[in-house]
Amino acid sequence: MISKGLGKTNKTILILFHYLNYLLPKYFMLKTSVDDFYMRQAYNLAERAFEEDEIPVGAVVVLGSQIIGKGYNQTVRLNDPTAHAEMLAITAACEHLASRYLQECTLYVTLEPCVMCAGASYWAMLGRVVFGASDQKNGFERFGKNLFHPKTQFTTGCLANECADLMTHFFAKKRM
């Protein structure tokens, strides 16, 4: 055995090293898989928007392992320029919790949020935002992450290619 002849402290460090070496890759793999799973749920909603001839953006709000709010763009259907996927998902989540704050929640959205949706996320104090495709023209990152609450954490690029392809296909279909 490798640890034979080592002191008690060194054995503890060796055991801890092996334990972390075993657990950390599984933790990061699990985290990625969880993000992919919930982004896939948002993507399914974006496909629904696509089918209804709305800009294909979908969003879900997750608390723990439960989706507590979901939405897809419905600006045309509702004649409401604020009916973005994120806004609808945040509203549903707040109603579900009977609270205006979502500090423990994660928003998964297929497209980088716009300034309006970033503002709503700020006031809801979302704990985390995960988005798929970047939006160079209308995305919040043009203005900086300070549009979100300072404690909000970000993960970008989750299923980015699939999300971007859906947007590209939608606008190509519009130009035909």
Side-chain angles (χ1 to χ4, degrees):
M1 184 170 179
I2 294 174
S3 62
K4 187 175 183 179
L6 295 175
K8 186 174 183 175
T9 303
N10 288 338
K11 284 182 187 178
T12 304
I13 292 171
L14 185 62
I15 290 168
L16 182 61
F17 174 78
H18 285 297
Y19 185 71
L20 288 175
N21 201 22
Y22 172 76
L23 268 188
L24 284 178
K26 291 182 186 250
Y27 169 78
F28 288 111
M29 187 174 81
L30 178 65
K31 190 172 179 78
T32 302
S33 298
V34 168
D35 284 350
D36 287 353
F37 174 79
Y38 289 115
M39 185 59 76
R40 180 74 52 207
Q41 306 311 304
Y43 184 85
N44 291 341
L45 291 166
E47 287 181 321
R48 185 169 172 189
F50 182 94
E51 291 166 6
E52 294 181 17
D53 206 31
E54 296 273 2
I55 294 175
V57 179
V60 296
V61 176
V62 177
L63 176 61
S65 61
Q66 181 183 8
I67 294 175
I68 60 169
K70 56 186 174 179
Y72 60 93
N73 272 8
Q74 297 180 51
T75 59
V76 175
R77 179 178 177 212
L78 299 176
N79 291 314
D80 180 357
T82 68
H84 289 198
E86 303 95 309
M87 301 292 278
L88 298 173
I90 289 169
T91 299
C94 288
E95 286 177 7
H96 177 84
L97 294 176
S99 173
R100 64 181 187 226
Y101 300 119
L102 303 172
Q103 295 109 316
E104 303 298 318
C105 297
T106 300
L107 170 69
Y108 291 87
V109 59
T110 57
L111 183 66
E112 177 185 340
C114 70
V115 172
M116 175 184 69
C117 295
S121 298
Y122 177 94
W123 292 112
M125 297 183 192
L126 273 163
R128 184 168 174 244
V129 174
V130 179
F131 68 85
S134 293
D135 185 352
Q136 305 299 327
K137 184 177 176 185
N138 297 310
F140 75 90
E141 286 196 311
R142 286 182 46 206
F143 305 97
K145 290 184 179 176
N146 60 345
L147 295 174
F148 283 87
H149 193 273
K151 293 182 180 178
T152 300
Q153 297 176 350
F154 294 91
T155 302
T156 63
C158 184
L159 301 181
N161 291 336
E162 292 175 57
C163 295
D165 288 348
L166 186 61
M167 293 292 288
T168 301
H169 184 63
F170 176 79
F171 286 108
K173 185 178 100 173
K174 285 287 190 192
R175 288 188 290 272
M176 293 179 139

